[in-house]
Amino acid sequence: MALSAVRQRRSEPSDPSPSEPYTKLDKPQKSEEKDEGLGWVFPIMALGFLRYMSATSNIIHDCDEVFNYWEPLHYLLYRTGFQTWEYSSQFALRSYLYLLFHEIVGRPASWLFSDDKVRVFYAVRFFLGLLSVLTDTVLVVALSRKYGKRLATYALAMLCLTSGCFFASTSFLPSSFSMYAISLASGLFLLDKPAAAISVAVIGVILGWPFSILAFLPVTLYSLSRKFKQAFIAAAVSSVILLASSIVTDFYYYGKWTSSVVNLLIYNVAGGGESHLYGTEGPLYYLRNGFNNFNFCFVLALLFLGMLPIAKKKYAPDLLIVVSPIYIWLGFMSLQPHKEERFLYPIYPLICVAASAVIESFPDLFRSRYNPYDRSIIVTVAKVMRPVALSLILYASHARTFSLIHGYSAPLEVYKILEHHDAENTSVLCVGSEWHRFPSSFFIPDYVGQVRWIDDGFRGLLPLPFNSSLGGTAAAPSYFNNKNIASDKQYLHDVDACTFLVELQLKRPYLTRGSDLSKWEPIAALPYLDRELSPALYRSFFIPYLWQEKNVFGTYKLLRRVTT
C-alpha cells in the first residue's frame, strides 16, 4: 500500500526514452529563447571610443577633401576659402546640398567657438564620427541577431580597429558618406526592412556619391524582389525629394538651374571630361591599397566566395547579397584609369563583414558534412585559429594606423601653431610644393590676411580664393578650366611679400627657400616620414624598435620672415 502511494515523476519531453540508450546528443540543450545578440550599448560604446580617437587624431589623406569640402564649407561659414574648378558655376560638379548637411553642425559650432576655427573643424569631425557610430552599430546588431554574437563581435572589432575604417570614418568626403549609407542599408536589409534599406541607399547615392549606386545595387534589387510595392514607393519618394532638393540648392548657390549629380555623371561617364588628367594607376592598385589598409582582413574578405559553398546554408542568400558589392566595386573601379584610395571607402564595412564570416567559418572547412558535432583535433585547431587570425589582423591594423598618424601628422600640428603667433593683419602665408597638404582655412587665424601659393614647379591648375566680386559661389572665373591647365593667377610671384612660409625639408641635394636663415627663422619644426627613402615595409607598418631606426624623416617647418 505504501509503495503504491509513492508519487512517480512525470516523464519530461527532454528525457531519453527508457527503451533507447542515452547519448550526448540526448543531453538537454540550452534554452532556445530568442537571442537578442550583442544589443545596442556595447557596439555604441566601442565604436564611439574609437571614432572619438579617429576624429581627434586622423590626418587628412587627400587634398580633395580639403579643397572640395572643407574649403567650400569654410566659405559658407566665414565668406573666405579656396574654390576649385569643380565649384565654378560653368561646371557645377559638386553638390552644395552635401555641404549644407554638414553646415547643420558647422554653423552652430562657429557661433559657439567664434574665436577658434580649429574647434569648428573638429566639431564637424565629431559629427562624422557620430554618423559612423550609428550606422555601423545598426550593421553589427543586425549581424548579431541574424548570424550570432561571434560573427558580430569579429565584425565590430574590425570596424573599430582596421586602419581603413579608422581613417575613412571621419573623413569629410562623399565616399565616406556613402560608406555610412552602405553600413546602414546593409543592416536594415538584414533586419528585414527593405523599404528603409532602399531609402538609405538613395540617400547614399544622391546626397553622397552618385557612383556608389553600383555598390547599392545588390541590396536594392533584392529589396525590390522581396517587397516590391513598399520598396519601390520608398525609393521613388526618396529620389524625388532628394533630387528636387539638390536642384533647388544648386540653383541657389550656382545661380542657374543645374544638377551637380547629372553634371558629375556626364563628366565622368558620358565622355564629358578627362578624369585621367588627375593621375592614373595600374590594375593592381586597389589590391595593394586594400592590403595596406586591411592587411589579412582584405585577403579573407576576397576568399568569401570560395568559402560560400561550405557555409551556404548559413550565409546564402542574405549575407552574400550584402558582401557582393566588394567584388562588383573592385572589378569596376579597377578598370578605371583614374584611381584614388578614397574611391574604395564605400565597401570598407563590407570587407570587415566578409572577413568576419570567413573567420567564423574556419571549423566548417574541416567538419564532416554528415556530423555537425565533429570534435576532431583539426576542428578544434580551426576554432583556436579564429581568435589567432583576428588578433593578427588587429595587431597589423594598429601597426598601420600608428605608422600613418605618427609619420604624417606634422602638417596639421604645424598649422595649429599659427594660432599662437601674432603678426599684422596683412600677413601673407606662403606655401610652395606643400600646397597639397594644406589642412584648410580652419587652421588659418584671422591675423593672416592671405594664403598664397608660390611656384615650386607644379604645372597643374590650383585652387584660387572664392571671388565675391564675381558672384561668390555663382561665379564662373575665366581662370578655371577642366583640362588641368595652370592659370597665371594662381601663384604669388613676389616671394618677398611672404610673412610666413611652410616647407617640407627633406634630405635632398638641393636647398629650399627656408634654408636661408638670413631671411627665415623657424618657429615650428616637426618630423615627417620621407616616403621615398623609407623601406615600404617599415613605413607602412609600425614595428617596435625598427620603425624609427629604418625609416628616414624630413622636417616639416613653419618659418617667419626675419625682420631687420
Side-chain angles (χ1 to χ4, degrees):
M1 192 72 175
L3 289 175
S4 63
V6 176
R7 300 181 63 183
Q8 299 296 320
R9 183 175 67 88
R10 179 181 295 176
S11 178
E12 296 293 330
S14 59
D15 286 345
S17 170
S19 61
E20 296 176 6
Y22 181 80
T23 68
K24 285 186 177 181
L25 296 180
D26 296 316
K27 291 175 68 175
Q29 299 297 313
K30 294 181 180 179
S31 171
E32 295 186 1
E33 295 179 3
K34 186 177 181 180
D35 183 5
E36 292 298 327
L38 288 177
W40 297 91
V41 176
F42 179 64
I44 287 177
M45 295 293 289
L47 286 163
F49 178 70
L50 268 299
R51 297 300 179 255
Y52 172 82
M53 292 181 64
S54 174
T56 54
S57 62
N58 195 2
I59 61 176
I60 294 178
H61 301 260
D62 194 322
C63 63
D64 190 74
E65 178 181 353
V66 171
F67 294 117
N68 275 327
Y69 304 104
W70 285 114
E71 283 299 290
L73 179 63
H74 187 274
Y75 182 78
L76 295 183
L77 298 177
Y78 301 102
R79 310 311 295 174
T80 62
F82 282 100
Q83 180 185 23
T84 62
W85 69 269
E86 293 99 323
Y87 279 95
S88 167
S89 62
Q90 178 184 352
F91 305 104
L93 297 188
R94 303 297 180 186
S95 170
Y96 276 97
L97 182 62
Y98 174 71
L99 294 176
L100 290 182
F101 180 71
H102 297 79
E103 191 181 353
I104 293 172
V105 172
R107 181 67 64 181
S110 68
W111 297 334
L112 183 62
F113 307 116
S114 57
D115 297 327
D116 193 347
K117 294 189 295 184
V118 174
R119 290 192 178 188
V120 179
F121 174 90
Y122 284 104
V124 174
R125 267 203 174 174
F126 288 138
F127 173 63
L128 297 172
L130 178 61
L131 290 176
S132 179
V133 169
L134 297 177
T135 55
D136 285 347
T137 295
V138 173
L139 177 58
V140 169
V141 170
L143 289 169
S144 179
R145 292 183 178 180
K146 195 169 185 71
Y147 300 107
K149 290 183 180 180
R150 182 183 290 115
L151 189 153
T153 302
Y154 293 164
L156 175 61
M158 294 183 197
L159 287 167
C160 285
L161 294 170
T162 49
S163 298
C165 291
F166 185 87
F167 291 125
S169 61
T170 54
S171 293
F172 186 8
L173 290 165
S175 51
S176 284
F177 187 84
S178 293
M179 180 185 72
Y180 309 148
I182 283 277
S183 283
L184 183 55
S186 299
L188 293 170
F189 173 78
L190 293 175
L191 292 172
D192 196 25
K193 299 182 183 298
I198 207 168
S199 294
V200 171
V202 169
I203 294 172
V205 170
I206 297 177
L207 183 57
W209 195 26
F211 297 108
S212 64
I213 188 172
L214 280 176
F216 287 102
L217 271 182
V219 165
T220 299
L221 294 177
Y222 207 74
S223 295
L224 287 169
S225 69
R226 279 185 172 177
K227 296 181 180 178
F228 179 80
K229 184 177 180 180
Q230 293 179 4
F232 180 80
I233 292 174
V237 171
S238 302
S239 298
V240 169
I241 291 174
L242 281 173
L243 282 173
S245 300
S246 176
I247 291 171
V248 170
T249 303
D250 288 341
F251 173 77
Y252 178 80
Y253 284 100
Y254 286 121
K256 65 178 184 179
W257 289 110
T258 187
S259 172
S260 58
V261 175
V262 174
N263 296 340
L264 185 64
L265 291 173
I266 292 174
Y267 176 79
N268 287 279
V269 178
E274 300 174 272
S275 60
H276 66 273
L277 293 172
Y278 303 92
T280 60
E281 298 287 348
L284 299 181
Y285 174 81
Y286 287 126
L287 296 180
R288 294 194 302 267
N289 190 268
F291 184 80
N292 279 340
N293 285 315
F294 288 91
N295 56 81
F296 300 103
C297 173
F298 184 69
V299 177
L300 292 174
L302 295 181
L303 293 176
F304 178 85
L305 284 182
M307 176 275 302
L308 190 62
I310 299 171
K312 184 176 181 180
K313 290 184 179 179
K314 286 197 295 185
Y315 300 138
D318 287 1
L319 196 64
L320 175 61
I321 295 295
V322 166
V323 303
S324 60
I326 295 175
Y327 308 99
I328 298 172
W329 194 248
L330 273 175
F332 174 78
M333 297 307 293
S334 294
L335 293 175
Q336 309 307 309
H338 178 53
K339 298 178 178 68
E340 296 188 38
E341 178 181 325
R342 59 192 167 91
F343 292 172
L344 281 194
Y345 284 7
I347 62 170
Y348 275 8
L350 307 185
I351 293 172
C352 297
V353 173
S356 300
V358 172
I359 293 175
E360 200 273 338
S361 298
F362 277 177
D364 297 333
L365 299 174
F366 307 101
R367 185 179 285 130
S368 170
R369 59 183 296 187
Y370 302 107
N371 181 13
Y373 300 97
D374 186 357
R375 300 177 185 274
S376 62
I377 293 178
I378 192 169
V379 171
T380 303
V381 171
K383 290 181 178 179
V384 173
M385 286 303 298
R386 290 189 295 203
V388 171
L390 181 65
S391 299
L392 180 62
I393 289 169
L394 299 184
Y395 175 78
S397 297
H398 174 72
R400 171 72 173 173
T401 302
F402 187 95
S403 180
L404 290 182
I405 290 176
H406 286 78
Y408 302 108
S409 62
L412 278 173
E413 299 305 318
V414 161
Y415 277 91
K416 288 178 185 177
I417 294 171
L418 274 171
E419 190 65 40
H420 305 289
H421 288 269
D422 292 327
E424 297 179 2
N425 287 337
T426 55
S427 296
V428 178
L429 171 66
C430 292
V431 185
S433 59
E434 286 303 294
W435 66 268
H436 61 290
R437 296 191 181 99
F438 176 65
S440 84
S441 297
F442 284 95
F443 291 81
I444 305 302
D446 292 338
Y447 71 80
V448 175
Q450 296 183 73
V451 176
R452 295 298 305 270
W453 315 130
I454 51 178
D455 191 354
D456 270 346
F458 180 72
R459 291 295 170 259
L461 178 64
L462 289 177
L464 284 95
F466 276 94
N467 194 326
S468 298
S469 63
L470 295 179
T473 60
S478 59
Y479 44 75
F480 281 142
N481 62 82
N482 64 349
K483 303 298 182 182
N484 199 24
I485 300 173
S487 166
D488 59 356
K489 297 181 181 297
Q490 67 189 30
Y491 290 123
L492 175 67
H493 299 289
D494 181 14
V495 180
D496 291 337
C498 299
T499 311
F500 295 97
L501 176 67
V502 172
E503 276 192 343
L504 173 59
Q505 296 182 359
L506 301 172
K507 297 179 180 178
R508 300 291 189 274
Y510 53 80
L511 295 176
T512 60
R513 288 185 177 87
S515 302
D516 187 353
L517 297 181
S518 64
K519 293 183 178 180
W520 299 100
E521 58 175 341
I523 55 178
L526 293 174
Y528 188 88
L529 186 62
D530 189 335
R531 186 180 184 279
E532 293 182 9
L533 297 184
S534 299
L537 175 63
Y538 297 108
R539 73 168 183 259
S540 298
F541 299 95
F542 174 78
I543 300 175
Y545 307 110
L546 296 177
W547 186 78
Q548 195 148 1
E549 178 183 334
K550 297 291 185 179
N551 287 319
V552 177
F553 295 85
T555 306
Y556 213 91
K557 289 187 175 182
L558 172 64
L559 304 112
R560 180 169 51 190
R561 181 174 293 279
V562 174
T563 56
T564 56

